[in-house]
Amino acid sequence: MMTLLSPPPSVLSSPQRRCHLLLLLYLPGQTVTPEILARLNGVDDTKALQDIADTGDEIQRYHRLRLITQQDGSYRIEGTSLDRRLCLLHWLRRALRLCPHFVQQQFTPALKTQLKQQGILTALYDEKNLQALIGLCARRLQRQFDSRDVQFLTLFLQYCLHQHHAGITPEFTEQQRAWTQIRPEFVAALEIARHWKRRMLQSANENEQLFLALLFQLLRTPDPIHDNHEQDLRLRSAICGMIARFRELAGMSFSDEQGLSDQLYIHLAQALDRCQFGIGIDNSLPEEITRLYPRLMRTTREAFNDFENHFEMRFSDEEVGLVAVIFGAWLMQENDLHEKQVLLLTGNNIELEQSVEQQLRELTLLPLNIKHLTIHSYQKEGAPKEVVLVITPYSTTLPLYSPPLIHVTLPLGDHQQQQIRKIIEC
């Protein structure tokens, strides 16, 4: 078991403390309990338990993993080998940014000790040898890795060696296998697989090669100008079709479709990998987008259908929400628009007011900032300067100075819809 060095109390942020926890959970032979974690991170037991709960929620949301309490009170991560490795990929990169000293002083030495104890040939995990292999792969891929990426890859490859020697190899579905094998990263990964071949069974070697290919794939920064692999060209074509479909559904066009296509390419190249391998993203966004921009979200989802069918994947609402944000931002940029401020005058019927607000948001693809003000305050103070339109379901008199005021009844009639849209989209 590694010796835990306690940092001074109260110097670590919550993300740093959770990085420490995750890396401890991945170290073989390391017992992780709330008491050990509290001592390591310089916090009390209550905060340590909260860090454990928060980390458990995060790895479940993003990587389909569970944090299990064992009979002795210690914790372990439960899930597939593939999900576990993808989780470590994310957290180790995060740790190298947030707590590099912990990685250098505790995670790295403990991993090397384990490799020695497993009897793995030193040449296989020697840092200089691994860095030479990483450089060879970079040249094969016509890519450059910065010093932090090289440090990450060296460590991560050592962890993969430890896992494989322990008989823990990730498994892939046929769809995941096909997706990875057609990428140029699969050929580059063969360089490392050849180096390790003597220590691996042939069947397992193929799975390790697939994972190494996926590793390089997930580190890729998509380049819409220079990427010219068959899969990249296929993606560009599908994006052009999606933009055309969005334009048709929205009745609004983009003068710089190339710029929009480039941004969607960068996002969707990574989103396709996340979707294929079940990697989650923040799940708070789509609910907010659906509430604030229902028509934009609905239009994006419909325009997205052919894209999904083309790649035989179903994207989560979270992923579609991010694409909706991109479309919305380009619509705003197209017309040099800012978020329009609308004032909703309120009275004593909350349900009616909520229905009015929802129908307003259904009228346009563009974002609205809808503020609430009581009728009494409006008659006394008027509307704030930035407001372009005042809406109310209640009868009221106009103050001396006011933006256009529309008294609405539900459901909104065609004439009122045209009036409102004309004001907020001009």
Side-chain angles (χ1 to χ4, degrees):
M1 184 183 299
M2 63 184 269
T3 302
L4 296 177
L5 305 175
S6 300
S10 305
V11 298
L12 298 171
S13 67
S14 173
Q16 286 174 319
R17 296 195 307 269
R18 288 185 283 120
C19 278
H20 290 179
L21 168 60
L22 245 293
L23 293 188
L24 287 183
L25 288 165
Y26 274 91
L27 282 176
Q30 174 60 49
T31 301
V32 181
T33 65
E35 295 76 22
I36 289 174
L37 186 64
R39 189 166 68 252
L40 171 72
N41 283 337
V43 297
D44 58 29
D45 289 349
T46 301
K47 187 161 284 189
L49 286 169
Q50 186 61 54
D51 287 337
I52 291 170
D54 291 343
T55 304
D57 289 342
E58 186 168 348
I59 66 173
Q60 185 170 28
R61 184 166 69 246
Y62 293 113
H63 298 288
R64 303 178 295 190
L65 299 172
R66 296 177 61 207
L67 207 50
I68 302 297
T69 309
Q70 303 185 105
Q71 287 186 347
D72 62 358
S74 64
Y75 289 85
R76 66 176 176 84
I77 296 175
E78 184 179 79
T80 70
S81 175
L82 178 58
D83 288 338
R84 284 171 55 89
R85 286 204 196 179
L86 292 176
C87 179
L88 179 61
L89 187 158
H90 171 76
W91 282 83
L92 184 54
R93 294 186 78 193
R94 179 190 287 183
L96 285 168
R97 293 193 309 271
L98 297 179
C99 44
H101 293 298
F102 183 87
V103 176
Q104 182 180 5
Q105 295 171 11
Q106 300 203 44
F107 185 81
T108 302
L111 182 55
K112 285 184 177 178
T113 298
Q114 185 65 27
L115 290 166
K116 288 178 183 177
Q117 290 176 352
Q118 288 178 297
I120 299 174
L121 288 174
T122 305
L124 291 177
Y125 63 86
D126 176 76
E127 290 182 1
K128 288 185 178 180
N129 288 346
L130 287 177
Q131 288 169 10
L133 280 172
I134 292 166
L136 179 59
C137 291
R139 291 191 294 275
R140 291 278 189 272
L141 294 168
Q142 298 182 333
R143 202 184 295 177
Q144 286 187 332
F145 295 115
D146 62 25
S147 58
R148 185 179 287 165
D149 280 338
V150 172
Q151 183 185 4
F152 160 74
L153 283 166
T154 303
L155 267 175
F156 201 81
L157 290 174
Q158 289 172 338
Y159 182 83
C160 291
L161 267 173
H162 148 67
Q163 285 278 286
H164 184 75
H165 193 79
I168 306 170
T169 302
E171 296 182 0
F172 296 82
T173 66
E174 285 305 314
Q175 187 176 15
Q176 290 170 339
R177 187 178 296 273
W179 180 260
T180 306
Q181 285 175 335
I182 62 175
R183 293 290 312 172
E185 288 84 358
F186 184 72
V187 178
L190 182 60
E191 300 295 343
I192 298 177
R194 282 173 178 161
H195 182 66
W196 288 353
K197 187 173 181 180
R198 290 182 181 178
R199 303 293 297 182
M200 296 181 179
L201 297 173
Q202 189 63 38
S203 59
N205 192 32
E206 184 182 358
N207 280 341
E208 289 294 350
Q209 184 182 345
L210 282 167
F211 182 79
L212 294 172
L214 174 59
L215 171 62
F216 286 119
Q217 200 169 321
L218 293 175
L219 290 182
R220 178 175 78 111
T221 300
D223 184 342
I225 297 175
H226 297 108
D227 289 352
N228 59 4
H229 185 265
E230 180 183 350
Q231 190 83 337
D232 305 326
L233 300 177
R234 178 187 175 196
L235 174 57
R236 291 303 295 260
S237 175
I239 288 171
C240 288
M242 179 169 60
I243 292 174
R245 181 61 176 150
F246 186 95
R247 188 195 322 119
E248 176 188 344
L249 292 167
M252 304 175 80
S253 60
F254 306 91
S255 61
D256 183 14
E257 286 198 1
Q258 185 62 55
L260 171 60
S261 175
D262 289 347
Q263 187 171 355
L264 285 169
Y265 174 85
I266 294 169
H267 172 74
L268 287 169
Q270 297 169 318
L272 281 166
D273 287 333
R274 288 195 297 267
C275 184
Q276 184 68 260
F277 293 94
I279 302 171
I281 58 173
D282 183 13
N283 62 357
S284 63
L285 184 65
E287 184 178 340
E288 187 75 357
I289 292 178
T290 301
R291 184 179 68 83
L292 296 178
Y293 319 120
R295 189 176 168 199
L296 175 62
M297 185 69 171
R298 193 169 56 249
T299 304
T300 303
R301 171 54 89 181
E302 191 169 346
F304 215 71
N305 284 339
D306 289 343
F307 184 90
E308 288 181 317
N309 292 336
H310 179 79
F311 287 100
E312 298 182 337
M313 294 184 195
R314 180 67 177 173
F315 282 71
S316 67
D317 287 342
E318 289 87 350
E319 294 286 4
V320 178
L322 291 177
V323 175
V325 168
I326 294 173
F327 274 121
W330 277 81
L331 284 174
M332 295 282 286
Q333 179 178 315
E334 179 69 27
N335 299 291
D336 194 24
L337 293 174
H338 301 289
E339 192 175 54
K340 293 297 178 68
Q341 295 196 15
V342 176
L343 188 64
L344 176 60
L345 302 185
T346 60
N348 55 7
N349 190 332
I350 294 176
E351 288 187 8
L352 175 61
E353 294 154 11
Q354 290 175 339
S355 296
V356 171
E357 178 171 346
Q358 189 64 22
Q359 290 205 24
L360 285 175
R361 295 192 182 281
E362 288 281 2
L363 284 179
T364 181
L365 288 162
L366 302 177
L368 294 178
N369 182 356
I370 300 178
K371 296 184 174 181
H372 293 192
L373 188 69
T374 65
I375 289 178
H376 175 75
S377 298
Y378 171 70
Q379 290 173 338
K380 185 178 178 181
E381 304 165 9
K385 286 190 299 184
E386 302 83 6
V387 169
V388 298
L389 176 65
V390 180
I391 296 282
T392 182
Y394 308 107
S395 297
T396 184
T397 56
L398 280 169
L400 186 59
Y401 299 104
S402 172
L405 183 147
I406 298 178
H407 175 257
V408 298
T409 55
L410 297 183
L412 295 175
D414 290 342
H415 178 66
Q416 283 192 330
Q417 289 185 32
Q418 291 172 8
Q419 276 186 297
I420 295 168
R421 191 179 291 120
K422 183 178 180 181
I423 293 171
I424 61 181
E425 291 185 352
C426 68

